[in-house]
Amino acid sequence: THPALTGRSGEVVLGKKSGKASILYKLEELGIDGVAEEKIGDILGAVKDKGIAKKDILTDAEFVSIVKEVAG
């Protein structure tokens, strides 16, 4: 069921089970552009590592921090 049909908004969460599509979606959602395509995999790896270490999903602030660190 699409989340909108049940009155919820769709939310992409980032953590150890994230994929490339989740990273691209979150970058777009947060208005972050100009990230080189070849950096997406590095960002994904860092997000997964952080999610595993934290044993929880990442906040937007944590994600932005990773993007800045990896992509410059």
Side-chain angles (χ1 to χ4, degrees):
T1 306
H2 191 278
L5 297 176
T6 56
R8 294 178 296 134
S9 61
E11 187 181 7
V12 171
V13 296
L14 299 172
K16 65 182 181 184
K17 295 183 179 174
S18 292
K20 190 174 177 183
S22 300
I23 301 297
L24 294 170
Y25 179 89
K26 192 55 105 165
L27 287 169
E28 185 177 323
E29 181 185 65
L30 296 174
I32 303 169
D33 51 17
V35 175
E37 183 72 29
E38 59 271 14
K39 293 288 186 188
I40 300 298
D42 296 338
I43 292 169
L44 176 57
V47 164
K48 287 183 176 220
D49 290 346
K50 177 81 172 175
I52 291 165
K54 189 180 172 190
K55 293 185 173 66
D56 199 2
I57 60 173
L58 276 66
T59 64
D60 287 351
E62 288 169 329
F63 176 70
V64 170
S65 176
I66 288 171
V67 172
K68 286 179 181 172
E69 192 178 304
V70 173

